[in-house]
Amino acid sequence: MTKLSVNINKIATLRNSRGGDVPNVVQFAKDVQRFGAEGVTIHPRPDERHIRYKDAYDLKPEVYSEYNIEGNPIPKFVNMVLEIKPTQVTLVPDAIDAITSNAGWDTLKHKNFLVEVIKEFKGNGIRTSIFVDPDLHQIEGAKSTGTDRIELYTEAFAHQYGMGNKEAINPYMECAGLANAIGLGINAGHDLSLDNIKFFKENITGLLEVSIGHALIAESLYMGVETVIGKYLDKLK
């Protein structure tokens, strides 16, 4: 069964829009785990416009499932991850002004940098994952960095699938096949939803984990968080 990690950034966005501490991100993380989620994901950015660095520390003692921290490995981020020691760190090449993640790493161009950062994290017992586009050369490059896993950037699949193009899964299947062959674990995320997750899961061999935030929170506005998490878990079996 593929693990569901719930990205709670949107809960922090809602909290920050009003000030105060409602909704409370720590309580929400505890609740999604109670409802069956196997992980909690956060993606703090330098401007702290949603998840704050303090949240990352506050969540540590309350996330008893997998704790996944995503972000661009700038010095402040690296230091935070090394202090918290989450289950997994997912490296994402975010531009400072990016609204959301919009590209994977060029694992060939940035190989030396990634090797250095990944070695530091792994030396501290933290599983590493690299956010990558569905490109075979980038998968091969990821292997050479020493990362444990890749996270396939699924926006292109989700967009095309929504337009009825099921062949959009093909490059992801090819990349998954290569990753499995060379010993890389496979995660996936970005724009996955109740509409497309079952098809994606059924076609990606060895899919270990999906990280879902925006769609899950939006769907929960209509159906409730506990119900939506249950639906994802059913589709990921």
Side-chain angles (χ1 to χ4, degrees), residues 20 27 88 94 155 227:
Q27 184 60 51
Q88 176 176 269
D94 282 333
E155 181 182 14
T227 296

Side-chain angles (χ1 to χ4, degrees), residues 52-201:
R52 299 166 181 156
Y53 276 64
K54 182 179 183 300
D55 294 327
Y57 289 93
D58 290 345
L59 286 161
K60 170 63 176 176
E62 305 299 340
V63 180
Y64 54 81
S65 60
E66 295 211 349
Y67 190 14
N68 175 44
I69 302 181
E70 300 179 342
N72 194 331
I74 61 174
K76 182 180 180 181
F77 178 88
V78 171
N79 291 337
M80 176 194 67
V81 171
L82 291 175
E83 289 176 358
I84 294 174
K85 291 185 171 59
T87 315
Q88 176 176 269
V89 58
T90 300
L91 308 182
V92 183
D94 282 333
I96 291 177
D97 59 350
I99 294 175
T100 185
S101 306
N102 55 20
W105 284 97
D106 185 332
T107 58
L108 305 175
K109 180 179 179 180
H110 299 288
K111 175 185 174 180
N112 291 338
F113 171 71
L114 290 169
V115 166
E116 181 179 348
V117 172
I118 288 167
K119 182 178 180 181
E120 182 74 11
F121 286 141
K122 291 180 68 174
N124 281 270
I126 305 166
R127 190 174 73 223
T128 60
S129 181
I130 299 178
F131 196 59
V132 292
D133 296 317
D135 177 281
L136 294 174
H137 296 296
Q138 298 304 329
I139 306 304
E140 292 170 347
K143 177 64 177 179
S144 69
T145 68
T147 190
D148 300 298
R149 297 186 183 185
I150 54 169
E151 179 174 331
L152 292 170
Y153 173 37
T154 51
E155 181 182 14
F157 158 75
H159 177 70
Q160 289 296 318
Y161 183 84
M163 298 174 65
N165 178 18
K166 293 186 176 181
E167 292 185 1
I169 195 67
N170 291 344
Y172 294 88
M173 293 173 64
E174 293 173 359
C175 287
L178 175 59
N180 285 320
I182 62 179
L184 284 175
I186 303 169
N187 298 339
H190 204 94
D191 288 350
L192 295 174
S193 69
L194 286 176
D195 291 334
N196 59 39
I197 190 64
K198 184 174 178 63
F199 180 82
F200 188 83
K201 153 71 176 177

